[in-house]
Amino acid sequence: MSLRDRTLPPFVHNAWYVAGWADELKSGERLGRTFLGQPVALFRTASGQVGALEDRCVHRAMPLSAGVVDGEALRCLYHGLEFGTHGRCTHIPVQDKIPATAKVRSFPLVERDAMLWIWMGDAERADEKAIPDYAFHRDPVWAWRSAHFHVKGNWQLLIDNLMDLSHLPYIHPHTIGGNPELHFKTRTVATRQPNGVRVERGMPASAPPPTYVAAKGFKGLVDRWQEIEFEPILIRIHTGACDEGTGAYDGKREHGFSMRGFHGITPETESTTHYFWSMATNVTTGDIPDLVFEQTARTFEEDQIVLELQQRRIEQSPERPIMDIASDVGGRFTRQFIRNLLRNDGANGQVNLVSSEGEGQFEVVQAGSAEN
């Protein structure tokens, strides 16, 4: 098969996506971005309300993101038409009557957990209660930093990359990598869930990678964990380590080192992706949060290079198949989940998974032979 089933629509529309970080939009500012192939103008009014409008003035097709925010409206740069967050025109210069057709499409936009969440599908199906929760952005126990990368690669390639961390020793040997043999022999448990996929990996008695040593000062072997959760359309990753034999696999991790990564994956086009990510750490003293962020950013930049090289080759031969190996179990389950979402475009935010391996809410697959 090719990168995706070409008979399916390219994007899941009825889902909440990250549109940006809340602090990217100060009061009175606007920003133009493309999501799922649709140009969108984001803006924040003088009172602090956020809005997302189709980035095309109804009058002469001028991008509204090129305009200015005046009070509670976004004003078109060309002829001065003004639009509220609801998309209706509220003012036309020297014209008292505003036609009913003077409106643009508005998209539900919600500010939560330091992020802007946008719904690109049927607005009537946008349930704010379904916005994924991310408490680590508001919990003072964790120090976090955020970034936005523009990746010249398909969004599902990025999901594949994050759902399978066995590439760490090869792409990231100087930061969060480790011994390649250990990574590939690690027992991997992939679980299908009602609204996503979860992957768990444990690496007992392993040498701590450079970032872990720099942040926590480990002196000997550690028990590492990698826990990855996908839900439409984002990935949460909890990685870390404790000194060997001190309870990492019994849930006793407070004394260890933890990194919690948030990965908002928002398609821009079929071949480009907005990657909104943050990294939180439980070691909050001194310059450790900055160090962790900087080293994490370096690893994600390395991933970006890989993804863009993949995209280039796929575009040259889109009909050629992509093969799975044992460590791809989490990515394979996730692709199956996404194919179902694409078929029904996320009806009610839930899907019933059906794959060649049978039906069921969950399935456990082991790759490799090492036990934790």
Side-chain angles (χ1 to χ4, degrees):
M1 67 177 181
S2 60
L3 178 62
R4 63 175 180 84
D5 184 344
R6 304 302 295 188
T7 65
L8 296 176
F11 311 119
V12 177
H13 285 80
N14 288 304
W16 288 103
Y17 289 93
V18 180
W21 296 103
D23 61 8
E24 291 184 280
L25 277 185
K26 302 293 191 295
S27 179
E29 293 186 351
R30 76 283 184 274
L31 180 65
R33 283 189 174 140
T34 296
F35 305 121
L36 284 60
Q38 172 72 59
V40 175
L42 306 171
F43 67 107
R44 188 185 295 275
T45 70
S47 67
Q49 298 297 308
V50 292
L53 304 179
E54 177 185 7
D55 199 7
R56 183 183 190 276
C57 182
V58 69
H59 177 223
R60 289 293 184 265
M62 182 70 182
L64 290 173
S65 60
V68 296
V69 178
D70 186 359
E72 299 303 299
L74 178 59
R75 181 191 302 137
C76 180
L77 180 67
Y78 198 6
H79 292 93
L81 278 70
E82 296 180 4
F83 299 86
T85 58
H86 41 62
R88 295 187 297 274
C89 181
T90 58
H91 175 72
I92 300 177
V94 298
Q95 181 173 327
D96 294 332
K97 184 177 180 181
I98 299 176
T101 54
K103 60 182 179 180
V104 297
R105 182 182 178 186
S106 65
F107 302 90
L109 187 69
V110 178
E111 185 172 355
R112 186 170 299 174
D113 294 333
M115 292 172 279
L116 300 172
W117 295 89
I118 194 168
W119 182 275
M120 298 296 295
D122 182 355
E124 294 184 355
R125 294 172 60 179
D127 182 1
E128 293 186 19
K129 294 190 295 295
I131 295 175
D133 181 72
Y134 201 70
F136 305 103
H137 283 170
R138 58 181 188 270
D139 187 341
V141 172
W142 298 83
W144 62 279
R145 309 285 187 272
S146 63
H148 169 216
F149 285 1
H150 182 256
V151 179
K152 296 177 182 177
N154 180 272
W155 60 288
Q156 293 194 64
L157 288 178
L158 179 53
I159 291 174
D160 286 343
N161 173 272
L162 294 168
M163 293 302 295
D164 173 23
L165 300 184
S166 66
H167 70 274
L168 264 59
Y170 297 101
I171 306 300
H172 316 302
H174 303 298
T175 53
I176 59 174
N179 181 279
E181 184 176 0
L182 175 66
H183 273 272
F184 273 91
K185 285 186 176 180
T186 293
R187 182 172 181 260
T188 299
V189 177
T191 307
R192 293 190 178 100
Q193 298 182 325
N195 196 35
V197 176
R198 179 179 172 85
V199 175
E200 298 175 74
R201 289 159 53 87
M203 288 170 280
S206 60
T211 295
Y212 289 31
V213 174
K216 189 65 176 177
F218 290 113
K219 303 298 183 184
L221 298 180
V222 298
D223 292 336
R224 295 180 62 181
W225 64 84
Q226 297 173 339
E227 298 167 352
I228 312 166
E229 295 179 331
F230 167 85
E231 69 175 90
I233 302 286
L234 59 88
I235 293 175
R236 303 179 184 90
I237 301 180
H238 182 199
T239 57
C242 294
D243 288 310
E244 181 186 9
T246 59
Y249 304 125
D250 299 320
K252 302 173 183 177
R253 299 176 175 177
E254 295 80 4
H255 60 287
F257 173 62
S258 285
M259 298 169 59
R260 290 192 176 270
F262 174 90
H263 307 268
I265 301 161
T266 306
E268 180 184 53
T269 67
E270 289 196 58
S271 59
T272 58
T273 303
H274 293 289
Y275 182 18
F276 300 100
W277 63 269
S278 73
M279 185 56 64
T281 175
N282 65 336
V283 181
T284 62
T285 57
D287 61 355
I288 296 301
D290 290 329
L291 179 146
V292 170
F293 173 79
E294 290 164 5
Q295 295 200 0
T296 301
R298 190 188 315 161
T299 67
F300 292 166
E301 288 166 356
E302 292 167 344
D303 283 332
Q304 183 173 356
I305 292 171
V306 169
L307 296 172
E308 293 180 354
L309 288 172
Q310 286 179 272
Q311 181 68 33
R312 201 175 306 166
R313 282 292 176 266
I314 288 170
E315 289 178 347
Q316 289 174 340
S317 304
E319 74 287 349
R320 298 187 64 176
I322 294 175
M323 184 189 76
D324 281 343
I325 60 177
S327 62
D328 290 314
V329 59
R332 184 168 70 251
F333 282 8
T334 304
R335 288 194 298 274
Q336 292 168 355
F337 189 98
I338 290 171
R339 280 198 294 273
N340 279 286
L341 283 178
L342 289 168
R343 288 190 179 98
N344 63 20
D345 206 15
N348 300 321
Q350 302 284 328
V351 294
N352 294 318
L353 291 173
V354 179
S355 76
S356 59
E357 295 145 298
E359 299 185 12
Q361 182 179 359
F362 69 92
E363 182 172 337
V364 176
V365 172
Q366 179 174 322
S369 58
E371 296 287 339
N372 59 13

